C-alpha cells in the first residue's frame, strides 16, 4: 500500500518529530511512504480569512501534487478536513472539482487511516504514563472523527487515559482566530488548561499540533510541567515488535 505524506505547515516547520513518528508507524505496518515535494499549505488560513479567490492557486497546487497518490495521510484533522472541502471550493471549475473529489476520497487523518483503512487496533506501543486527550474542533466538527484516537489509545500498554472535563470545548487556537481575537483566545486556552490540570495528567495527547502548540505554550507561560504529544509519537513509543507482529497477522487486511 502506497501512502503519500502531507506534513502540514505546523509539523513541517515546528514539529518535524511528529512527521517522522507518523512515517515510522506507517512503515512498520507495511506501508510504502512517499513525500511529494511540491506540497505547500493546504490553504485554510487564507480561505477561512475570506480570501477565497486568492486561495485557488495554492489549492490547485495541492490537488495536482497528490494526483498520483494512492492514499494521502495527514497528521492533523484540521488540514485533512480542508482537503475534504476542496470539491466544494472548486465547484465552478469542472476539471479541478473532479480531481478534488478524487483527492478528498483518498485523504485520511492519521488515526482514521490506521483504524478504518489498515484495520489496526494495537500497534505495539507502550507508554507508562497518566494522560488525557484533547479533541480538536476541526477533527470532530468538520472531519466528523470522534472515535479512532480513543480506540487506538485504549491499546497502548501502560497508558492510563483520564477523560478531560468539557472535552468538546475549543482550546482557543482556531488558526487565525487566535491572532484576530487574542483576548478571547487567551481566556479559552486558560479554561482548557484548567480542565487539563484537573485530570492530574502527566501527558496531553492530541491529533492536531496546532492545538498542542497553543496549549503547550500556555503550559509554559504558567509554569506547568505537562508533556505534549501527538498521537503518532505515542504510537511510536517503546514499540513491542512481537505484539505488533501478532496484530498484523490477525487484523491487517
Amino acid at each position: 500500500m502506497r501512502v503519500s505524506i502531507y506534513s502540514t505547515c505546523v509539523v513541517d516547520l515546528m514539529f518535524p518529530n511528529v512527521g517522522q513518528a507518523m512515517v515510522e508507524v506507517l512503515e512498520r505496518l507495511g506501508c510504502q511512504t512517499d513525500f511529494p515535494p511540491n506540497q505547500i499549505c493546504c490553504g485554510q488560513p487564507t480561505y477561512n480569512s475570506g480570501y477565497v479567490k486568492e486561495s485557488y492557486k495554492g489549492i490547485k497546487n495541492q490537488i495536482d501534487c497528490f494526483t498520483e497518490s494512492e492514499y494521502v495521510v495527514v497528521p492533523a484533522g484540521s488540514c485533512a478536513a480542508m482537503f475534504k472541502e476542496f470539491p466544494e471550493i472548486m465547484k465552478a471549475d469542472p476539471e479541478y472539482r473532479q480531481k478534488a473529489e478524487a483527492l478528498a476520497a483518498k485523504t485520511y487523518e492519521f488515526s482514521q487511516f490506521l483504524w478504518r483503512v489498515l484495520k489496526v487496533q494495537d500497534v505495539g506501543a507502550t507508554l507508562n504514563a497518566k494522560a488525557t486527550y484533547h479533541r480538536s474542533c476541526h477533527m470532530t466538527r468538520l472531519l466528523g472523527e470522534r472515535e479512532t484516537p480513543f480506540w487506538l489509545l485504549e491499546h497502548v500498554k501502560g497508558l492510563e487515559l483520564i477523560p478531560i472535563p468539557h472535552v468538546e470545548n475549543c482550546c482557543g487556537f482556531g488558526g487565525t482566530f487566535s491572532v484576530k481575537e487574542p483576548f478571547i483566545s487567551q481566556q479559552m486556552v486558560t479554561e482548557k488548561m484548567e480542565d487539563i490540570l484537573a485530570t492530574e495528567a502527566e501527558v496531553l495527547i492530541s491529533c492536531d499540533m496546532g492545538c498542542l502548540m497553543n496549549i503547550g505554550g500556555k503550559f509554559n507561560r504558567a509554569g506547568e510541567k505537562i508533556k505534549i504529544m501527538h498521537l503518532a509519537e505515542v504510537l511510536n513509543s517503546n514499540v513491542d515488535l512481537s505484539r505488533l507482529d501478532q496484530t498484523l497477522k490477525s487484523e491487517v487486511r
Side-chain angles (χ1 to χ4, degrees):
M1 185 176 293
R2 187 163 59 88
V3 174
S4 295
I5 302 299
Y6 176 56
S7 64
T8 80
C9 298
V10 174
V11 169
D12 187 35
L13 297 174
M14 303 184 70
F15 300 95
N17 50 299
V18 172
Q20 179 179 339
M22 183 174 73
V23 168
E24 290 178 0
V25 171
L26 289 170
E27 291 187 348
R28 275 201 305 274
L29 294 173
C31 296
Q32 178 185 351
T33 63
D34 62 58
F35 185 87
N38 293 332
Q39 60 183 278
I40 57 174
C41 176
C42 68
Q44 188 177 116
T46 54
Y47 183 78
N48 287 352
S49 295
Y51 297 101
V52 177
K53 292 182 179 179
E54 292 82 353
S55 300
Y56 288 163
K57 185 176 180 180
I59 291 172
K60 286 182 177 180
N61 178 88
Q62 294 300 83
I63 294 170
D64 290 335
C65 181
F66 293 99
T67 296
E68 301 301 322
S69 301
E70 183 178 353
Y71 289 99
V72 179
V73 177
V74 188
S78 177
C79 297
M82 185 63 184
F83 274 36
K84 299 289 187 180
E85 293 187 41
F86 285 175
E88 177 63 20
I89 296 171
M90 291 287 107
K91 62 183 179 182
D93 186 324
E95 177 189 356
Y96 271 92
R97 180 186 176 99
Q98 186 175 11
K99 291 181 179 180
E101 288 173 348
L103 175 57
K106 63 187 178 185
T107 296
Y108 292 87
E109 180 274 329
F110 175 61
S111 70
Q112 282 187 320
F113 186 74
L114 295 188
W115 190 279
R116 302 190 185 279
V117 179
L118 295 184
K119 309 296 183 184
V120 171
Q121 298 178 12
D122 187 344
V123 302
T126 297
L127 182 62
N128 294 307
K130 185 176 182 180
T132 193
Y133 179 84
H134 167 66
R135 208 176 67 177
S136 67
C137 296
H138 280 188
M139 186 159 166
T140 56
R141 295 181 173 93
L142 295 182
L143 195 58
E145 184 56 73
R146 294 173 171 81
E147 301 167 319
T148 52
F150 293 99
W151 290 339
L152 289 162
L153 289 171
E154 284 180 2
H155 293 85
V156 175
K157 186 177 179 180
L159 185 66
E160 180 186 359
L161 195 64
I162 310 300
I164 185 173
H166 313 115
V167 67
E168 72 281 356
N169 283 359
C170 177
C171 74
F173 181 57
T176 56
F177 172 80
S178 60
V179 178
K180 295 176 180 178
E181 301 290 348
F183 298 108
I184 298 174
S185 176
Q186 173 69 12
Q187 184 59 43
M188 293 171 74
V189 75
T190 298
E191 291 178 355
K192 178 60 67 173
M193 181 185 71
E194 291 171 351
D195 284 339
I196 293 166
L197 293 176
T199 69
E200 300 183 346
E202 305 164 284
V203 179
L204 173 66
I205 304 168
S206 185
C207 286
D208 274 276
M209 281 312 306
C211 298
L212 287 174
M213 178 179 64
N214 186 42
I215 301 169
K218 180 62 178 178
F219 286 160
N220 288 337
R221 292 190 296 274
E224 298 293 342
K225 306 299 182 183
I226 301 177
K227 184 178 179 63
I228 62 168
M229 294 184 74
H230 187 277
L231 178 70
E233 296 176 293
V234 175
L235 299 184
N236 202 37
S237 298
N238 298 322
V239 176
D240 182 342
L241 294 178
S242 63
R243 275 175 58 206
L244 176 59
D245 184 58
Q246 290 302 313
T247 298
L248 292 174
K249 288 179 179 177
S250 62
E251 295 170 1
V252 176
R253 318 207 206 315

